[in-house]
Amino acid sequence: NDAGGIATYSVAGATFGLTLLWILPIVMLVLAVTQEMGARLGIVTGKGLAALIRENFDFRATFLVVILSFFANWANILAEFAGIASVAKIYGFPAWILVLASAILISWMVIAGNFKSIQRIFLTSSVLYIAYILAGFMSHPQWSSAFKATVTPSWQPTGSYIFMAIALIGTTVTIWGQFFIQSYFAEKGVRTKDFALARADVYAGSLWVGIVAFFIVIATAGTLFVNHITINDAADAARALEPFAGSFAKHLFAWGLYNASMLGAGVVTISTAYIITEAFGWEGKVNAGFKESPAFYKLFLFCIISTALLVLIPNFPLLPVLIMSQAFNTFVLPVLFYFLLRLVNRTDIMGKHKNGRLINILGVLSIVLLSALNLSYFAYLIFR
């Protein structure tokens, strides 16, 4: 869950109440299945997804995946710094101070740190998402309605509802997440004997994503939606919570957003550097220094600097960037999952660890459902 996720879940709850909650269990399942495939592929091969696509498909396929993934990831990094700028807006001080200070801090942490130190920081940050659970309880939601909405599908045949559903999926099952999980396990050096722990890691993470998303939606649905309050960005969501859930809830929301933005900026940028270096066969590891992996760190710094500066443009449309970047993930995911499924079913690559029938069925269903949702939105735009 990064800044784009926090904003998307907030807007979903504030705009559509609890009616989108039923999507979360489905998305959590898709996330768990696809992340497990990526983790398994990384463990068995010791390589990232971009490297395997380059080695096993033609140049056009590699170029397509790299271009689409880079654009999606870069837009997500932009969303992270938009989230940081939103936090500055909540407390009424100049955005450029917090954005530039955060960019410097992230750069220093990754360049000066190593794999283990960065991992500890990211894991500690993930615990801080409990702020949104507390904010959810402080909004005093109607629990029976929330649980009913989670297990009861509903649908509104409007462009805004379909687009929000697409964004909700894309902010949970991300392009960067798929590349990151595989490169992460490969660089970490996890072995096949640790498959059980790796799966537990992936499944626990997928569950935690869904729990945090659930509480963000009910926090904004139970306060903003029921009082017909619209929000323009995540900063509005934090401030609007205050009259209904108290000032502490506002601060929890703001601190949680900053934590998510910083975590996302670090992880998504590392994932982007993984993609490009692997696609071109360059050395690209967090544990390698600047001299050993110059391309990796130059790409990292380019993404950090370009997005941080762009967000500082006056009247920059923060919320559209946040939401659009998440929706773009969903448009690209079917293409990425096609290559993932092809690779993880190859006996010469995976051996006895290739996909079983159930995982393949769930993988194909994920591609079909995502494609159908994307097509339904485009059909609405054409024929409305």
PDB file of all heavy atoms in Angstrom, residues 181-199:
ATOM      1  N   ILE A 181       8.691  -8.205  -6.352  1.00  0.00           N
ATOM      2  CA  ILE A 181       8.666  -9.430  -5.552  1.00  0.00           C
ATOM      3  C   ILE A 181       9.655 -10.455  -6.090  1.00  0.00           C
ATOM      4  O   ILE A 181      10.339 -11.149  -5.334  1.00  0.00           O
ATOM      5  CB  ILE A 181       7.228 -10.029  -5.490  1.00  0.00           C
ATOM      6  CG1 ILE A 181       7.115 -11.097  -4.404  1.00  0.00           C
ATOM      7  CG2 ILE A 181       6.805 -10.634  -6.823  1.00  0.00           C
ATOM      8  CD1 ILE A 181       7.119 -10.568  -3.017  1.00  0.00           C
ATOM      9  N   GLN A 182       9.758 -10.549  -7.424  1.00  0.00           N
ATOM     10  CA  GLN A 182      10.645 -11.552  -8.015  1.00  0.00           C
ATOM     11  C   GLN A 182      12.113 -11.167  -7.845  1.00  0.00           C
ATOM     12  O   GLN A 182      12.932 -11.985  -7.433  1.00  0.00           O
ATOM     13  CB  GLN A 182      10.316 -11.743  -9.492  1.00  0.00           C
ATOM     14  CG  GLN A 182      11.088 -12.892 -10.125  1.00  0.00           C
ATOM     15  CD  GLN A 182      10.503 -13.306 -11.459  1.00  0.00           C
ATOM     16  OE1 GLN A 182       9.296 -13.221 -11.672  1.00  0.00           O
ATOM     17  NE2 GLN A 182      11.356 -13.766 -12.353  1.00  0.00           N
ATOM     18  N   SER A 183      12.444  -9.917  -8.153  1.00  0.00           N
ATOM     19  CA  SER A 183      13.823  -9.463  -7.997  1.00  0.00           C
ATOM     20  C   SER A 183      14.243  -9.472  -6.533  1.00  0.00           C
ATOM     21  O   SER A 183      15.395  -9.761  -6.198  1.00  0.00           O
ATOM     22  CB  SER A 183      13.983  -8.055  -8.580  1.00  0.00           C
ATOM     23  OG  SER A 183      13.710  -8.052  -9.967  1.00  0.00           O
ATOM     24  N   TYR A 184      13.303  -9.163  -5.658  1.00  0.00           N
ATOM     25  CA  TYR A 184      13.574  -9.145  -4.212  1.00  0.00           C
ATOM     26  C   TYR A 184      13.980 -10.528  -3.730  1.00  0.00           C
ATOM     27  O   TYR A 184      15.003 -10.693  -3.050  1.00  0.00           O
ATOM     28  CB  TYR A 184      12.333  -8.647  -3.473  1.00  0.00           C
ATOM     29  CG  TYR A 184      12.376  -8.828  -1.970  1.00  0.00           C
ATOM     30  CD1 TYR A 184      13.045  -7.902  -1.168  1.00  0.00           C
ATOM     31  CD2 TYR A 184      11.751  -9.900  -1.356  1.00  0.00           C
ATOM     32  CE1 TYR A 184      13.088  -8.060   0.207  1.00  0.00           C
ATOM     33  CE2 TYR A 184      11.797 -10.062   0.020  1.00  0.00           C
ATOM     34  CZ  TYR A 184      12.458  -9.144   0.799  1.00  0.00           C
ATOM     35  OH  TYR A 184      12.506  -9.294   2.153  1.00  0.00           O
ATOM     36  N   PHE A 185      13.185 -11.541  -4.075  1.00  0.00           N
ATOM     37  CA  PHE A 185      13.497 -12.899  -3.629  1.00  0.00           C
ATOM     38  C   PHE A 185      14.777 -13.413  -4.287  1.00  0.00           C
ATOM     39  O   PHE A 185      15.535 -14.161  -3.676  1.00  0.00           O
ATOM     40  CB  PHE A 185      12.329 -13.849  -3.918  1.00  0.00           C
ATOM     41  CG  PHE A 185      11.313 -13.888  -2.822  1.00  0.00           C
ATOM     42  CD1 PHE A 185      10.100 -13.221  -2.954  1.00  0.00           C
ATOM     43  CD2 PHE A 185      11.558 -14.578  -1.653  1.00  0.00           C
ATOM     44  CE1 PHE A 185       9.159 -13.248  -1.933  1.00  0.00           C
ATOM     45  CE2 PHE A 185      10.623 -14.607  -0.620  1.00  0.00           C
ATOM     46  CZ  PHE A 185       9.424 -13.939  -0.769  1.00  0.00           C
ATOM     47  N   ALA A 186      15.005 -13.004  -5.538  1.00  0.00           N
ATOM     48  CA  ALA A 186      16.231 -13.431  -6.231  1.00  0.00           C
ATOM     49  C   ALA A 186      17.459 -12.817  -5.566  1.00  0.00           C
ATOM     50  O   ALA A 186      18.440 -13.524  -5.283  1.00  0.00           O
ATOM     51  CB  ALA A 186      16.160 -13.040  -7.700  1.00  0.00           C
ATOM     52  N   GLU A 187      17.424 -11.499  -5.300  1.00  0.00           N
ATOM     53  CA  GLU A 187      18.580 -10.856  -4.679  1.00  0.00           C
ATOM     54  C   GLU A 187      18.769 -11.304  -3.236  1.00  0.00           C
ATOM     55  O   GLU A 187      19.894 -11.382  -2.738  1.00  0.00           O
ATOM     56  CB  GLU A 187      18.444  -9.331  -4.751  1.00  0.00           C
ATOM     57  CG  GLU A 187      19.668  -8.627  -4.171  1.00  0.00           C
ATOM     58  CD  GLU A 187      19.715  -7.130  -4.438  1.00  0.00           C
ATOM     59  OE1 GLU A 187      18.857  -6.635  -5.192  1.00  0.00           O
ATOM     60  OE2 GLU A 187      20.620  -6.465  -3.908  1.00  0.00           O
ATOM     61  N   LYS A 188      17.679 -11.614  -2.567  1.00  0.00           N
ATOM     62  CA  LYS A 188      17.754 -12.065  -1.174  1.00  0.00           C
ATOM     63  C   LYS A 188      18.422 -13.432  -1.066  1.00  0.00           C
ATOM     64  O   LYS A 188      18.960 -13.806  -0.027  1.00  0.00           O
ATOM     65  CB  LYS A 188      16.341 -12.112  -0.584  1.00  0.00           C
ATOM     66  CG  LYS A 188      16.276 -12.317   0.925  1.00  0.00           C
ATOM     67  CD  LYS A 188      14.835 -12.245   1.392  1.00  0.00           C
ATOM     68  CE  LYS A 188      14.697 -12.586   2.874  1.00  0.00           C
ATOM     69  NZ  LYS A 188      15.320 -11.565   3.726  1.00  0.00           N
ATOM     70  N   GLY A 189      18.393 -14.187  -2.172  1.00  0.00           N
ATOM     71  CA  GLY A 189      19.044 -15.497  -2.172  1.00  0.00           C
ATOM     72  C   GLY A 189      18.233 -16.590  -1.498  1.00  0.00           C
ATOM     73  O   GLY A 189      18.796 -17.560  -0.974  1.00  0.00           O
ATOM     74  N   VAL A 190      16.914 -16.458  -1.513  1.00  0.00           N
ATOM     75  CA  VAL A 190      16.056 -17.492  -0.915  1.00  0.00           C
ATOM     76  C   VAL A 190      16.158 -18.770  -1.746  1.00  0.00           C
ATOM     77  O   VAL A 190      16.189 -18.730  -2.972  1.00  0.00           O
ATOM     78  CB  VAL A 190      14.586 -17.005  -0.868  1.00  0.00           C
ATOM     79  CG1 VAL A 190      13.680 -18.099  -0.305  1.00  0.00           C
ATOM     80  CG2 VAL A 190      14.487 -15.747  -0.028  1.00  0.00           C
ATOM     81  N   ARG A 191      16.211 -19.919  -1.072  1.00  0.00           N
ATOM     82  CA  ARG A 191      16.372 -21.200  -1.753  1.00  0.00           C
ATOM     83  C   ARG A 191      15.057 -21.969  -1.791  1.00  0.00           C
ATOM     84  O   ARG A 191      14.133 -21.672  -1.041  1.00  0.00           O
ATOM     85  CB  ARG A 191      17.469 -22.014  -1.067  1.00  0.00           C
ATOM     86  CG  ARG A 191      18.867 -21.393  -1.220  1.00  0.00           C
ATOM     87  CD  ARG A 191      19.884 -22.048  -0.309  1.00  0.00           C
ATOM     88  NE  ARG A 191      19.629 -21.718   1.086  1.00  0.00           N
ATOM     89  CZ  ARG A 191      20.387 -22.154   2.105  1.00  0.00           C
ATOM     90  NH1 ARG A 191      21.420 -22.940   1.864  1.00  0.00           N
ATOM     91  NH2 ARG A 191      20.103 -21.806   3.335  1.00  0.00           N
ATOM     92  N   THR A 192      15.029 -22.998  -2.647  1.00  0.00           N
ATOM     93  CA  THR A 192      13.785 -23.756  -2.841  1.00  0.00           C
ATOM     94  C   THR A 192      13.325 -24.445  -1.568  1.00  0.00           C
ATOM     95  O   THR A 192      12.130 -24.689  -1.400  1.00  0.00           O
ATOM     96  CB  THR A 192      13.956 -24.787  -3.962  1.00  0.00           C
ATOM     97  OG1 THR A 192      15.095 -25.620  -3.685  1.00  0.00           O
ATOM     98  CG2 THR A 192      14.162 -24.103  -5.303  1.00  0.00           C
ATOM     99  N   LYS A 193      14.240 -24.759  -0.673  1.00  0.00           N
ATOM    100  CA  LYS A 193      13.836 -25.422   0.572  1.00  0.00           C
ATOM    101  C   LYS A 193      13.017 -24.487   1.471  1.00  0.00           C
ATOM    102  O   LYS A 193      12.377 -24.937   2.423  1.00  0.00           O
ATOM    103  CB  LYS A 193      15.067 -25.930   1.330  1.00  0.00           C
ATOM    104  CG  LYS A 193      15.962 -24.873   1.920  1.00  0.00           C
ATOM    105  CD  LYS A 193      17.171 -25.498   2.599  1.00  0.00           C
ATOM    106  CE  LYS A 193      18.053 -24.454   3.268  1.00  0.00           C
ATOM    107  NZ  LYS A 193      17.380 -23.804   4.409  1.00  0.00           N
ATOM    108  N   ASP A 194      13.041 -23.206   1.150  1.00  0.00           N
ATOM    109  CA  ASP A 194      12.300 -22.220   1.945  1.00  0.00           C
ATOM    110  C   ASP A 194      10.996 -21.780   1.286  1.00  0.00           C
ATOM    111  O   ASP A 194      10.454 -20.731   1.617  1.00  0.00           O
ATOM    112  CB  ASP A 194      13.180 -20.985   2.198  1.00  0.00           C
ATOM    113  CG  ASP A 194      14.391 -21.304   3.063  1.00  0.00           C
ATOM    114  OD1 ASP A 194      14.221 -22.013   4.060  1.00  0.00           O
ATOM    115  OD2 ASP A 194      15.496 -20.841   2.725  1.00  0.00           O
ATOM    116  N   PHE A 195      10.498 -22.591   0.343  1.00  0.00           N
ATOM    117  CA  PHE A 195       9.246 -22.248  -0.342  1.00  0.00           C
ATOM    118  C   PHE A 195       8.098 -21.980   0.632  1.00  0.00           C
ATOM    119  O   PHE A 195       7.300 -21.061   0.449  1.00  0.00           O
ATOM    120  CB  PHE A 195       8.834 -23.375  -1.293  1.00  0.00           C
ATOM    121  CG  PHE A 195       9.368 -23.213  -2.689  1.00  0.00           C
ATOM    122  CD1 PHE A 195       9.682 -24.317  -3.453  1.00  0.00           C
ATOM    123  CD2 PHE A 195       9.537 -21.957  -3.250  1.00  0.00           C
ATOM    124  CE1 PHE A 195      10.177 -24.185  -4.742  1.00  0.00           C
ATOM    125  CE2 PHE A 195      10.029 -21.805  -4.538  1.00  0.00           C
ATOM    126  CZ  PHE A 195      10.351 -22.920  -5.281  1.00  0.00           C
ATOM    127  N   ALA A 196       7.998 -22.810   1.673  1.00  0.00           N
ATOM    128  CA  ALA A 196       6.877 -22.665   2.613  1.00  0.00           C
ATOM    129  C   ALA A 196       6.907 -21.299   3.290  1.00  0.00           C
ATOM    130  O   ALA A 196       5.871 -20.636   3.428  1.00  0.00           O
ATOM    131  CB  ALA A 196       6.920 -23.787   3.656  1.00  0.00           C
ATOM    132  N   LEU A 197       8.094 -20.870   3.706  1.00  0.00           N
ATOM    133  CA  LEU A 197       8.220 -19.558   4.356  1.00  0.00           C
ATOM    134  C   LEU A 197       7.963 -18.430   3.364  1.00  0.00           C
ATOM    135  O   LEU A 197       7.358 -17.415   3.716  1.00  0.00           O
ATOM    136  CB  LEU A 197       9.621 -19.409   4.958  1.00  0.00           C
ATOM    137  CG  LEU A 197       9.887 -20.175   6.258  1.00  0.00           C
ATOM    138  CD1 LEU A 197      11.355 -20.081   6.642  1.00  0.00           C
ATOM    139  CD2 LEU A 197       9.013 -19.632   7.381  1.00  0.00           C
ATOM    140  N   ALA A 198       8.444 -18.607   2.127  1.00  0.00           N
ATOM    141  CA  ALA A 198       8.220 -17.585   1.098  1.00  0.00           C
ATOM    142  C   ALA A 198       6.731 -17.411   0.827  1.00  0.00           C
ATOM    143  O   ALA A 198       6.232 -16.289   0.684  1.00  0.00           O
ATOM    144  CB  ALA A 198       8.961 -17.966  -0.181  1.00  0.00           C
ATOM    145  N   ARG A 199       6.015 -18.530   0.729  1.00  0.00           N
ATOM    146  CA  ARG A 199       4.562 -18.454   0.506  1.00  0.00           C
ATOM    147  C   ARG A 199       3.867 -17.784   1.684  1.00  0.00           C
ATOM    148  O   ARG A 199       2.958 -16.970   1.501  1.00  0.00           O
ATOM    149  CB  ARG A 199       3.994 -19.862   0.284  1.00  0.00           C
ATOM    150  CG  ARG A 199       4.346 -20.460  -1.066  1.00  0.00           C
ATOM    151  CD  ARG A 199       3.518 -21.701  -1.353  1.00  0.00           C
ATOM    152  NE  ARG A 199       3.832 -22.227  -2.671  1.00  0.00           N
ATOM    153  CZ  ARG A 199       4.662 -23.231  -2.899  1.00  0.00           C
ATOM    154  NH1 ARG A 199       5.264 -23.834  -1.878  1.00  0.00           N
ATOM    155  NH2 ARG A 199       4.902 -23.655  -4.130  1.00  0.00           N
TER     156      ARG A 199
END
